[in-house]
Amino acid sequence: QVRLVESGGGLVQAGGSLRLSCAVSGSRFSINSMAWYRQAPGNQRELVAIISSTGTTYYTDSVKGRFTISRDNAKNTVYLQMNSLKPEDTAVYYCWVQGTIVGGISDYDYWGQGTQVTVSS
């Protein structure tokens, strides 16, 4: 059983910072990619940032230069440091991981429960 537990969301003023964390638990699960998505009311869920097992990162254009994704493989945790937050960053942020069961070849992906980030103007 793989479980993702997110933390770090909240209410912040425009220009402020927040740091999201997502801890992954579950034995026999080898994590490959880790990512953060977000979904604002009335919008589709969108990819914010993704980090590969080797540390390669990708960011959606709207957060480049403001957000940083990182991971601690020893802790099976992914982080999203969000600086210079804007009201348009307001959304529910979801953690996503992709990996394989140790000894297997099939890929599986899992989602966190989501954490609310609200940026006031």
Side-chain angles (χ1 to χ4, degrees), residues 7-121:
S7 60
L11 173 64
V12 64
Q13 288 189 333
S17 298
L18 284 174
R19 189 191 194 210
L20 305 183
S21 300
C22 174
V24 183
S25 62
S27 60
R28 300 176 54 78
F29 183 67
S30 177
I31 301 172
N32 294 328
S33 297
M34 308 179 86
W36 290 95
Y37 285 73
R38 67 185 179 187
Q39 187 168 18
N43 290 356
Q44 290 188 334
R45 192 172 297 188
E46 64 167 349
L47 175 66
V48 176
I50 188 168
I51 184 167
S52 73
S53 58
T54 58
T56 301
T57 58
Y58 165 85
Y59 299 91
T60 193
D61 285 345
S62 62
V63 308
K64 284 180 181 176
R66 301 188 297 122
F67 291 11
T68 302
I69 189 170
S70 60
R71 61 191 287 173
D72 184 333
N73 292 328
K75 296 182 179 180
N76 286 343
T77 300
V78 61
Y79 305 96
L80 186 67
Q81 178 66 45
M82 304 184 293
N83 299 329
S84 302
L85 282 160
K86 303 175 181 180
E88 50 264 44
D89 294 318
T90 295
V92 178
Y93 283 70
Y94 296 90
C95 174
W96 173 90
V97 299
Q98 179 268 333
T100 57
I101 303 299
V102 174
I105 59 172
S106 298
D107 289 339
Y108 297 89
D109 62 288
Y110 299 90
W111 292 91
Q113 79 282 2
T115 185
Q116 177 69 46
V117 171
T118 303
V119 184
S120 63
S121 56

